[in-house]
Amino acid sequence: MEFNVLDFGAIGDGITNDAAAIQAAINACSEAGGGRVVLPGGKVFRSSVLTLCSNLEFHLEMGATLKGSDHLSDYLMSAQIMSNPHKADVPSYENCEYNGRPTHYFLYAKDCENLAITGLGKIDGNESIFYGEVKHCHIEGAFYPSAPLLYLENVNHLTIEQVTLTNSAFWTVHMIGCKDVLIDGIRILNNLKMANCDGIDPDHCQNVRISNCHITCADDCIVFKNTAQAMQYGPCENITISNCTLTSTSAAIKIGSESEDIFRNIIVENCVISHTNRAISLQLRDKGSIENVAFHNIAIGTRLFRREMFWGAAEPIAITVFKRKENAEVGTIHNILFSNIFCKSENGILIYGESEGAISDINFENVNLKLCQHTDKEKGVYDLRPNTGASFTEKGLCYVYARNASHINFHNCNFHADDAMKQEIENPFNCSYCSDIHF
């Protein structure tokens, strides 16, 4: 069955809050046992928070826009939820600990099955109402965490296809404990200055396929999480990413830093990463581990952004293990493969464990790295955040910077630098406290 929101009183004039009418269409669909709720093309539907349900296809026709309300209070699920969140004491790039539970929502679903969000229309998060401090190349949120565009918890058989998601003020697609997920052909077009507006965040999710997507966002494009508040859903595992184009002011593809459980059995292939502050990041900070992960056939281009405001320092690949807090537990990273990787980067590869045995069995095959100058920013400093010690390494440009790693193999790999970068290299392979590392 099809449920057109206009039949339930929606106006679509870009001014009226149509949330009640759209929610009525969703509820009618649910009561009928399932079907398609349609937002017709050529209209802009303004809305506060919407709750999705099982056996629902939420479909936006070409030319249809669902845009968030201009009022922060409209994003609250309940009056008991904090309605006036306070600004963090420090910027989120200095301390962005997050347990995975926001205080505000836009599109929300929990404990559902057979949910799809489809169509060639657009969902607009109206990011500007969440602005805090605005600088030339960085916009801090007014509070942390801000409102995710899609917050989907414990959804089985989830599909997101074709839609454009834009202007999110926080994590765009946050999936918690979701199983059997297909995300195909979507566009995420966020502000490259807006802090924390990640693209896709699978959190304690299993059996996930992400394909044919184009993502531009500040912070991370596709990032796997295991947050503290969702441990009941198990590890993040059995995931593929393929045929995506990605641009980010932090990491294009990241595992962590929220890492309370295991990440395993993940394959990333046939992707292009461009104009990005850090391409691939394995960032372990908690008691979980990262294992059995492969990256194949990836073209990488990195450049330096404002290092103090966005994590990363143009590393094409960064593998790091640090304790988030003193006396905390931290896991290990092992059995990782990088093959057929082509990098033009403004910094080298970083492999850094806080202690011996943290990183092992990392294999690089057919990796071609060329250091290329793209900006006039300081070169050869690697970003270690978040951690309890120094935020950055000492200066020293190199192809590979490694600490406390073992069983690291580079097979059939090539390292080059353009003339401007070559003259800054003093030690091409700066490896300390490492064992069984082969070039």
Side-chain angles (χ1 to χ4, degrees), residues 90-110:
V90 297
S92 61
Y93 53 82
E94 291 185 13
N95 179 16
C96 64
E97 292 184 30
Y98 174 42
N99 65 13
R101 299 291 181 190
T103 60
H104 292 63
Y105 304 81
F106 188 19
L107 270 67
Y108 174 87
K110 188 174 186 297

mmCIF file with all atom_site columns, all heavy atoms in Angstrom, residues 90-110:
data_model
loop_
_atom_site.group_PDB
_atom_site.id
_atom_site.type_symbol
_atom_site.label_atom_id
_atom_site.label_alt_id
_atom_site.label_comp_id
_atom_site.label_asym_id
_atom_site.label_entity_id
_atom_site.label_seq_id
_atom_site.pdbx_PDB_ins_code
_atom_site.Cartn_x
_atom_site.Cartn_y
_atom_site.Cartn_z
_atom_site.occupancy
_atom_site.B_iso_or_equiv
_atom_site.pdbx_formal_charge
_atom_site.auth_seq_id
_atom_site.auth_comp_id
_atom_site.auth_asym_id
_atom_site.auth_atom_id
_atom_site.pdbx_PDB_model_num
ATOM 1   N N   . VAL A 1 90  ? 35.496 22.141 26.585 1.00 0.00 ? 90  VAL A N   1
ATOM 2   C CA  . VAL A 1 90  ? 36.585 22.229 25.614 1.00 0.00 ? 90  VAL A CA  1
ATOM 3   C C   . VAL A 1 90  ? 36.042 21.857 24.245 1.00 0.00 ? 90  VAL A C   1
ATOM 4   O O   . VAL A 1 90  ? 35.010 21.191 24.138 1.00 0.00 ? 90  VAL A O   1
ATOM 5   C CB  . VAL A 1 90  ? 37.764 21.297 25.986 1.00 0.00 ? 90  VAL A CB  1
ATOM 6   C CG1 . VAL A 1 90  ? 38.381 21.716 27.311 1.00 0.00 ? 90  VAL A CG1 1
ATOM 7   C CG2 . VAL A 1 90  ? 37.318 19.840 26.036 1.00 0.00 ? 90  VAL A CG2 1
ATOM 8   N N   . PRO A 1 91  ? 36.703 22.264 23.162 1.00 0.00 ? 91  PRO A N   1
ATOM 9   C CA  . PRO A 1 91  ? 36.231 21.891 21.824 1.00 0.00 ? 91  PRO A CA  1
ATOM 10  C C   . PRO A 1 91  ? 36.199 20.382 21.637 1.00 0.00 ? 91  PRO A C   1
ATOM 11  O O   . PRO A 1 91  ? 36.961 19.640 22.269 1.00 0.00 ? 91  PRO A O   1
ATOM 12  C CB  . PRO A 1 91  ? 37.259 22.545 20.895 1.00 0.00 ? 91  PRO A CB  1
ATOM 13  C CG  . PRO A 1 91  ? 37.907 23.610 21.710 1.00 0.00 ? 91  PRO A CG  1
ATOM 14  C CD  . PRO A 1 91  ? 37.896 23.109 23.118 1.00 0.00 ? 91  PRO A CD  1
ATOM 15  N N   . SER A 1 92  ? 35.324 19.912 20.769 1.00 0.00 ? 92  SER A N   1
ATOM 16  C CA  . SER A 1 92  ? 35.168 18.462 20.571 1.00 0.00 ? 92  SER A CA  1
ATOM 17  C C   . SER A 1 92  ? 36.426 17.811 20.030 1.00 0.00 ? 92  SER A C   1
ATOM 18  O O   . SER A 1 92  ? 36.664 16.621 20.249 1.00 0.00 ? 92  SER A O   1
ATOM 19  C CB  . SER A 1 92  ? 33.987 18.183 19.638 1.00 0.00 ? 92  SER A CB  1
ATOM 20  O OG  . SER A 1 92  ? 34.211 18.767 18.371 1.00 0.00 ? 92  SER A OG  1
ATOM 21  N N   . TYR A 1 93  ? 37.290 18.570 19.311 1.00 0.00 ? 93  TYR A N   1
ATOM 22  C CA  . TYR A 1 93  ? 38.506 17.962 18.790 1.00 0.00 ? 93  TYR A CA  1
ATOM 23  C C   . TYR A 1 93  ? 39.542 17.737 19.891 1.00 0.00 ? 93  TYR A C   1
ATOM 24  O O   . TYR A 1 93  ? 40.509 17.022 19.692 1.00 0.00 ? 93  TYR A O   1
ATOM 25  C CB  . TYR A 1 93  ? 39.106 18.788 17.649 1.00 0.00 ? 93  TYR A CB  1
ATOM 26  C CG  . TYR A 1 93  ? 39.352 20.243 17.950 1.00 0.00 ? 93  TYR A CG  1
ATOM 27  C CD1 . TYR A 1 93  ? 40.486 20.660 18.628 1.00 0.00 ? 93  TYR A CD1 1
ATOM 28  C CD2 . TYR A 1 93  ? 38.442 21.202 17.537 1.00 0.00 ? 93  TYR A CD2 1
ATOM 29  C CE1 . TYR A 1 93  ? 40.705 22.000 18.900 1.00 0.00 ? 93  TYR A CE1 1
ATOM 30  C CE2 . TYR A 1 93  ? 38.657 22.541 17.797 1.00 0.00 ? 93  TYR A CE2 1
ATOM 31  C CZ  . TYR A 1 93  ? 39.788 22.937 18.483 1.00 0.00 ? 93  TYR A CZ  1
ATOM 32  O OH  . TYR A 1 93  ? 39.990 24.269 18.749 1.00 0.00 ? 93  TYR A OH  1
ATOM 33  N N   . GLU A 1 94  ? 39.352 18.337 21.064 1.00 0.00 ? 94  GLU A N   1
ATOM 34  C CA  . GLU A 1 94  ? 40.241 18.078 22.185 1.00 0.00 ? 94  GLU A CA  1
ATOM 35  C C   . GLU A 1 94  ? 39.716 16.954 23.064 1.00 0.00 ? 94  GLU A C   1
ATOM 36  O O   . GLU A 1 94  ? 40.476 16.165 23.609 1.00 0.00 ? 94  GLU A O   1
ATOM 37  C CB  . GLU A 1 94  ? 40.420 19.351 23.022 1.00 0.00 ? 94  GLU A CB  1
ATOM 38  C CG  . GLU A 1 94  ? 41.201 20.446 22.305 1.00 0.00 ? 94  GLU A CG  1
ATOM 39  C CD  . GLU A 1 94  ? 41.456 21.641 23.205 1.00 0.00 ? 94  GLU A CD  1
ATOM 40  O OE1 . GLU A 1 94  ? 41.255 21.524 24.437 1.00 0.00 ? 94  GLU A OE1 1
ATOM 41  O OE2 . GLU A 1 94  ? 41.843 22.692 22.683 1.00 0.00 ? 94  GLU A OE2 1
ATOM 42  N N   . ASN A 1 95  ? 38.419 16.884 23.219 1.00 0.00 ? 95  ASN A N   1
ATOM 43  C CA  . ASN A 1 95  ? 37.838 15.831 24.047 1.00 0.00 ? 95  ASN A CA  1
ATOM 44  C C   . ASN A 1 95  ? 36.428 15.557 23.552 1.00 0.00 ? 95  ASN A C   1
ATOM 45  O O   . ASN A 1 95  ? 35.492 16.237 23.929 1.00 0.00 ? 95  ASN A O   1
ATOM 46  C CB  . ASN A 1 95  ? 37.811 16.242 25.517 1.00 0.00 ? 95  ASN A CB  1
ATOM 47  C CG  . ASN A 1 95  ? 37.189 15.166 26.399 1.00 0.00 ? 95  ASN A CG  1
ATOM 48  O OD1 . ASN A 1 95  ? 37.041 14.022 25.981 1.00 0.00 ? 95  ASN A OD1 1
ATOM 49  N ND2 . ASN A 1 95  ? 36.830 15.528 27.603 1.00 0.00 ? 95  ASN A ND2 1
ATOM 50  N N   . CYS A 1 96  ? 36.278 14.561 22.674 1.00 0.00 ? 96  CYS A N   1
ATOM 51  C CA  . CYS A 1 96  ? 34.946 14.281 22.139 1.00 0.00 ? 96  CYS A CA  1
ATOM 52  C C   . CYS A 1 96  ? 34.489 12.889 22.566 1.00 0.00 ? 96  CYS A C   1
ATOM 53  O O   . CYS A 1 96  ? 34.003 12.106 21.774 1.00 0.00 ? 96  CYS A O   1
ATOM 54  C CB  . CYS A 1 96  ? 34.928 14.435 20.623 1.00 0.00 ? 96  CYS A CB  1
ATOM 55  S SG  . CYS A 1 96  ? 35.969 13.288 19.741 1.00 0.00 ? 96  CYS A SG  1
ATOM 56  N N   . GLU A 1 97  ? 34.654 12.570 23.840 1.00 0.00 ? 97  GLU A N   1
ATOM 57  C CA  . GLU A 1 97  ? 34.135 11.303 24.341 1.00 0.00 ? 97  GLU A CA  1
ATOM 58  C C   . GLU A 1 97  ? 32.614 11.300 24.194 1.00 0.00 ? 97  GLU A C   1
ATOM 59  O O   . GLU A 1 97  ? 31.932 12.254 24.539 1.00 0.00 ? 97  GLU A O   1
ATOM 60  C CB  . GLU A 1 97  ? 34.527 11.113 25.804 1.00 0.00 ? 97  GLU A CB  1
ATOM 61  C CG  . GLU A 1 97  ? 36.022 10.898 26.003 1.00 0.00 ? 97  GLU A CG  1
ATOM 62  C CD  . GLU A 1 97  ? 36.365 10.612 27.445 1.00 0.00 ? 97  GLU A CD  1
ATOM 63  O OE1 . GLU A 1 97  ? 35.502 10.038 28.142 1.00 0.00 ? 97  GLU A OE1 1
ATOM 64  O OE2 . GLU A 1 97  ? 37.473 10.963 27.869 1.00 0.00 ? 97  GLU A OE2 1
ATOM 65  N N   . TYR A 1 98  ? 32.111 10.176 23.699 1.00 0.00 ? 98  TYR A N   1
ATOM 66  C CA  . TYR A 1 98  ? 30.681 10.097 23.393 1.00 0.00 ? 98  TYR A CA  1
ATOM 67  C C   . TYR A 1 98  ? 30.257 8.655  23.607 1.00 0.00 ? 98  TYR A C   1
ATOM 68  O O   . TYR A 1 98  ? 30.835 7.735  23.046 1.00 0.00 ? 98  TYR A O   1
ATOM 69  C CB  . TYR A 1 98  ? 30.460 10.536 21.943 1.00 0.00 ? 98  TYR A CB  1
ATOM 70  C CG  . TYR A 1 98  ? 29.047 10.382 21.419 1.00 0.00 ? 98  TYR A CG  1
ATOM 71  C CD1 . TYR A 1 98  ? 27.947 10.728 22.197 1.00 0.00 ? 98  TYR A CD1 1
ATOM 72  C CD2 . TYR A 1 98  ? 28.820 9.901  20.136 1.00 0.00 ? 98  TYR A CD2 1
ATOM 73  C CE1 . TYR A 1 98  ? 26.659 10.593 21.711 1.00 0.00 ? 98  TYR A CE1 1
ATOM 74  C CE2 . TYR A 1 98  ? 27.540 9.766  19.632 1.00 0.00 ? 98  TYR A CE2 1
ATOM 75  C CZ  . TYR A 1 98  ? 26.459 10.115 20.425 1.00 0.00 ? 98  TYR A CZ  1
ATOM 76  O OH  . TYR A 1 98  ? 25.191 9.969  19.930 1.00 0.00 ? 98  TYR A OH  1
ATOM 77  N N   . ASN A 1 99  ? 29.232 8.454  24.410 1.00 0.00 ? 99  ASN A N   1
ATOM 78  C CA  . ASN A 1 99  ? 28.788 7.098  24.721 1.00 0.00 ? 99  ASN A CA  1
ATOM 79  C C   . ASN A 1 99  ? 27.812 6.539  23.699 1.00 0.00 ? 99  ASN A C   1
ATOM 80  O O   . ASN A 1 99  ? 27.371 5.399  23.809 1.00 0.00 ? 99  ASN A O   1
ATOM 81  C CB  . ASN A 1 99  ? 28.170 7.036  26.124 1.00 0.00 ? 99  ASN A CB  1
ATOM 82  C CG  . ASN A 1 99  ? 26.889 7.858  26.242 1.00 0.00 ? 99  ASN A CG  1
ATOM 83  O OD1 . ASN A 1 99  ? 26.315 8.290  25.252 1.00 0.00 ? 99  ASN A OD1 1
ATOM 84  N ND2 . ASN A 1 99  ? 26.441 8.069  27.471 1.00 0.00 ? 99  ASN A ND2 1
ATOM 85  N N   . GLY A 1 100 ? 27.440 7.339  22.700 1.00 0.00 ? 100 GLY A N   1
ATOM 86  C CA  . GLY A 1 100 ? 26.563 6.846  21.641 1.00 0.00 ? 100 GLY A CA  1
ATOM 87  C C   . GLY A 1 100 ? 25.108 7.232  21.783 1.00 0.00 ? 100 GLY A C   1
ATOM 88  O O   . GLY A 1 100 ? 24.284 6.860  20.943 1.00 0.00 ? 100 GLY A O   1
ATOM 89  N N   . ARG A 1 101 ? 24.763 7.996  22.828 1.00 0.00 ? 101 ARG A N   1
ATOM 90  C CA  . ARG A 1 101 ? 23.369 8.397  23.039 1.00 0.00 ? 101 ARG A CA  1
ATOM 91  C C   . ARG A 1 101 ? 23.228 9.910  22.901 1.00 0.00 ? 101 ARG A C   1
ATOM 92  O O   . ARG A 1 101 ? 23.654 10.663 23.770 1.00 0.00 ? 101 ARG A O   1
ATOM 93  C CB  . ARG A 1 101 ? 22.899 7.983  24.432 1.00 0.00 ? 101 ARG A CB  1
ATOM 94  C CG  . ARG A 1 101 ? 22.939 6.490  24.685 1.00 0.00 ? 101 ARG A CG  1
ATOM 95  C CD  . ARG A 1 101 ? 21.900 5.754  23.875 1.00 0.00 ? 101 ARG A CD  1
ATOM 96  N NE  . ARG A 1 101 ? 21.943 4.321  24.159 1.00 0.00 ? 101 ARG A NE  1
ATOM 97  C CZ  . ARG A 1 101 ? 21.292 3.412  23.470 1.00 0.00 ? 101 ARG A CZ  1
ATOM 98  N NH1 . ARG A 1 101 ? 20.541 3.783  22.439 1.00 0.00 ? 101 ARG A NH1 1
ATOM 99  N NH2 . ARG A 1 101 ? 21.365 2.130  23.773 1.00 0.00 ? 101 ARG A NH2 1
ATOM 100 N N   . PRO A 1 102 ? 22.632 10.401 21.823 1.00 0.00 ? 102 PRO A N   1
ATOM 101 C CA  . PRO A 1 102 ? 22.429 11.845 21.699 1.00 0.00 ? 102 PRO A CA  1
ATOM 102 C C   . PRO A 1 102 ? 21.235 12.303 22.523 1.00 0.00 ? 102 PRO A C   1
ATOM 103 O O   . PRO A 1 102 ? 20.488 11.492 23.086 1.00 0.00 ? 102 PRO A O   1
ATOM 104 C CB  . PRO A 1 102 ? 22.151 12.005 20.202 1.00 0.00 ? 102 PRO A CB  1
ATOM 105 C CG  . PRO A 1 102 ? 21.504 10.712 19.815 1.00 0.00 ? 102 PRO A CG  1
ATOM 106 C CD  . PRO A 1 102 ? 22.154 9.645  20.659 1.00 0.00 ? 102 PRO A CD  1
ATOM 107 N N   . THR A 1 103 ? 21.059 13.600 22.601 1.00 0.00 ? 103 THR A N   1
ATOM 108 C CA  . THR A 1 103 ? 19.901 14.169 23.289 1.00 0.00 ? 103 THR A CA  1
ATOM 109 C C   . THR A 1 103 ? 18.837 14.657 22.321 1.00 0.00 ? 103 THR A C   1
ATOM 110 O O   . THR A 1 103 ? 17.701 14.913 22.711 1.00 0.00 ? 103 THR A O   1
ATOM 111 C CB  . THR A 1 103 ? 20.325 15.346 24.187 1.00 0.00 ? 103 THR A CB  1
ATOM 112 O OG1 . THR A 1 103 ? 20.934 16.360 23.368 1.00 0.00 ? 103 THR A OG1 1
ATOM 113 C CG2 . THR A 1 103 ? 21.329 14.897 25.232 1.00 0.00 ? 103 THR A CG2 1
ATOM 114 N N   . HIS A 1 104 ? 19.207 14.837 21.051 1.00 0.00 ? 104 HIS A N   1
ATOM 115 C CA  . HIS A 1 104 ? 18.293 15.323 20.019 1.00 0.00 ? 104 HIS A CA  1
ATOM 116 C C   . HIS A 1 104 ? 18.309 14.369 18.829 1.00 0.00 ? 104 HIS A C   1
ATOM 117 O O   . HIS A 1 104 ? 19.328 13.709 18.566 1.00 0.00 ? 104 HIS A O   1
ATOM 118 C CB  . HIS A 1 104 ? 18.708 16.721 19.541 1.00 0.00 ? 104 HIS A CB  1
ATOM 119 C CG  . HIS A 1 104 ? 18.542 17.792 20.571 1.00 0.00 ? 104 HIS A CG  1
ATOM 120 N ND1 . HIS A 1 104 ? 19.235 17.794 21.768 1.00 0.00 ? 104 HIS A ND1 1
ATOM 121 C CD2 . HIS A 1 104 ? 17.763 18.914 20.582 1.00 0.00 ? 104 HIS A CD2 1
ATOM 122 C CE1 . HIS A 1 104 ? 18.887 18.865 22.469 1.00 0.00 ? 104 HIS A CE1 1
ATOM 123 N NE2 . HIS A 1 104 ? 18.001 19.562 21.771 1.00 0.00 ? 104 HIS A NE2 1
ATOM 124 N N   . TYR A 1 105 ? 17.204 14.295 18.083 1.00 0.00 ? 105 TYR A N   1
ATOM 125 C CA  . TYR A 1 105 ? 17.063 13.364 16.970 1.00 0.00 ? 105 TYR A CA  1
ATOM 126 C C   . TYR A 1 105 ? 16.325 14.050 15.819 1.00 0.00 ? 105 TYR A C   1
ATOM 127 O O   . TYR A 1 105 ? 15.570 14.986 16.028 1.00 0.00 ? 105 TYR A O   1
ATOM 128 C CB  . TYR A 1 105 ? 16.251 12.129 17.383 1.00 0.00 ? 105 TYR A CB  1
ATOM 129 C CG  . TYR A 1 105 ? 16.777 11.377 18.580 1.00 0.00 ? 105 TYR A CG  1
ATOM 130 C CD1 . TYR A 1 105 ? 16.509 11.817 19.876 1.00 0.00 ? 105 TYR A CD1 1
ATOM 131 C CD2 . TYR A 1 105 ? 17.529 10.228 18.419 1.00 0.00 ? 105 TYR A CD2 1
ATOM 132 C CE1 . TYR A 1 105 ? 16.986 11.138 20.981 1.00 0.00 ? 105 TYR A CE1 1
ATOM 133 C CE2 . TYR A 1 105 ? 18.011 9.527  19.526 1.00 0.00 ? 105 TYR A CE2 1
ATOM 134 C CZ  . TYR A 1 105 ? 17.733 9.989  20.801 1.00 0.00 ? 105 TYR A CZ  1
ATOM 135 O OH  . TYR A 1 105 ? 18.209 9.303  21.888 1.00 0.00 ? 105 TYR A OH  1
ATOM 136 N N   . PHE A 1 106 ? 16.523 13.517 14.604 1.00 0.00 ? 106 PHE A N   1
ATOM 137 C CA  . PHE A 1 106 ? 15.691 13.944 13.470 1.00 0.00 ? 106 PHE A CA  1
ATOM 138 C C   . PHE A 1 106 ? 14.875 12.746 12.995 1.00 0.00 ? 106 PHE A C   1
ATOM 139 O O   . PHE A 1 106 ? 13.713 12.601 13.357 1.00 0.00 ? 106 PHE A O   1
ATOM 140 C CB  . PHE A 1 106 ? 16.553 14.542 12.362 1.00 0.00 ? 106 PHE A CB  1
ATOM 141 C CG  . PHE A 1 106 ? 15.752 15.180 11.249 1.00 0.00 ? 106 PHE A CG  1
ATOM 142 C CD1 . PHE A 1 106 ? 14.430 15.559 11.426 1.00 0.00 ? 106 PHE A CD1 1
ATOM 143 C CD2 . PHE A 1 106 ? 16.328 15.424 10.024 1.00 0.00 ? 106 PHE A CD2 1
ATOM 144 C CE1 . PHE A 1 106 ? 13.695 16.156 10.407 1.00 0.00 ? 106 PHE A CE1 1
ATOM 145 C CE2 . PHE A 1 106 ? 15.611 16.015 8.990  1.00 0.00 ? 106 PHE A CE2 1
ATOM 146 C CZ  . PHE A 1 106 ? 14.293 16.376 9.184  1.00 0.00 ? 106 PHE A CZ  1
ATOM 147 N N   . LEU A 1 107 ? 15.449 11.827 12.236 1.00 0.00 ? 107 LEU A N   1
ATOM 148 C CA  . LEU A 1 107 ? 14.739 10.591 11.897 1.00 0.00 ? 107 LEU A CA  1
ATOM 149 C C   . LEU A 1 107 ? 15.222 9.477  12.827 1.00 0.00 ? 107 LEU A C   1
ATOM 150 O O   . LEU A 1 107 ? 16.427 9.224  12.926 1.00 0.00 ? 107 LEU A O   1
ATOM 151 C CB  . LEU A 1 107 ? 14.986 10.199 10.435 1.00 0.00 ? 107 LEU A CB  1
ATOM 152 C CG  . LEU A 1 107 ? 13.979 10.769 9.423  1.00 0.00 ? 107 LEU A CG  1
ATOM 153 C CD1 . LEU A 1 107 ? 14.112 12.271 9.328  1.00 0.00 ? 107 LEU A CD1 1
ATOM 154 C CD2 . LEU A 1 107 ? 14.168 10.131 8.063  1.00 0.00 ? 107 LEU A CD2 1
ATOM 155 N N   . TYR A 1 108 ? 14.268 8.820  13.480 1.00 0.00 ? 108 TYR A N   1
ATOM 156 C CA  . TYR A 1 108 ? 14.583 7.883  14.569 1.00 0.00 ? 108 TYR A CA  1
ATOM 157 C C   . TYR A 1 108 ? 13.842 6.573  14.355 1.00 0.00 ? 108 TYR A C   1
ATOM 158 O O   . TYR A 1 108 ? 12.679 6.565  13.933 1.00 0.00 ? 108 TYR A O   1
ATOM 159 C CB  . TYR A 1 108 ? 14.148 8.519  15.896 1.00 0.00 ? 108 TYR A CB  1
ATOM 160 C CG  . TYR A 1 108 ? 14.264 7.627  17.109 1.00 0.00 ? 108 TYR A CG  1
ATOM 161 C CD1 . TYR A 1 108 ? 15.462 7.554  17.822 1.00 0.00 ? 108 TYR A CD1 1
ATOM 162 C CD2 . TYR A 1 108 ? 13.186 6.879  17.560 1.00 0.00 ? 108 TYR A CD2 1
ATOM 163 C CE1 . TYR A 1 108 ? 15.575 6.766  18.956 1.00 0.00 ? 108 TYR A CE1 1
ATOM 164 C CE2 . TYR A 1 108 ? 13.281 6.081  18.695 1.00 0.00 ? 108 TYR A CE2 1
ATOM 165 C CZ  . TYR A 1 108 ? 14.482 6.027  19.391 1.00 0.00 ? 108 TYR A CZ  1
ATOM 166 O OH  . TYR A 1 108 ? 14.584 5.227  20.509 1.00 0.00 ? 108 TYR A OH  1
ATOM 167 N N   . ALA A 1 109 ? 14.528 5.469  14.639 1.00 0.00 ? 109 ALA A N   1
ATOM 168 C CA  . ALA A 1 109 ? 13.870 4.154  14.630 1.00 0.00 ? 109 ALA A CA  1
ATOM 169 C C   . ALA A 1 109 ? 14.559 3.262  15.646 1.00 0.00 ? 109 ALA A C   1
ATOM 170 O O   . ALA A 1 109 ? 15.787 3.299  15.791 1.00 0.00 ? 109 ALA A O   1
ATOM 171 C CB  . ALA A 1 109 ? 13.935 3.520  13.246 1.00 0.00 ? 109 ALA A CB  1
ATOM 172 N N   . LYS A 1 110 ? 13.789 2.436  16.334 1.00 0.00 ? 110 LYS A N   1
ATOM 173 C CA  . LYS A 1 110 ? 14.337 1.514  17.332 1.00 0.00 ? 110 LYS A CA  1
ATOM 174 C C   . LYS A 1 110 ? 13.510 0.231  17.354 1.00 0.00 ? 110 LYS A C   1
ATOM 175 O O   . LYS A 1 110 ? 12.278 0.279  17.273 1.00 0.00 ? 110 LYS A O   1
ATOM 176 C CB  . LYS A 1 110 ? 14.361 2.158  18.723 1.00 0.00 ? 110 LYS A CB  1
ATOM 177 C CG  . LYS A 1 110 ? 15.095 1.332  19.786 1.00 0.00 ? 110 LYS A CG  1
ATOM 178 C CD  . LYS A 1 110 ? 15.193 2.111  21.093 1.00 0.00 ? 110 LYS A CD  1
ATOM 179 C CE  . LYS A 1 110 ? 16.054 1.374  22.118 1.00 0.00 ? 110 LYS A CE  1
ATOM 180 N NZ  . LYS A 1 110 ? 15.494 0.077  22.522 1.00 0.00 ? 110 LYS A NZ  1
#
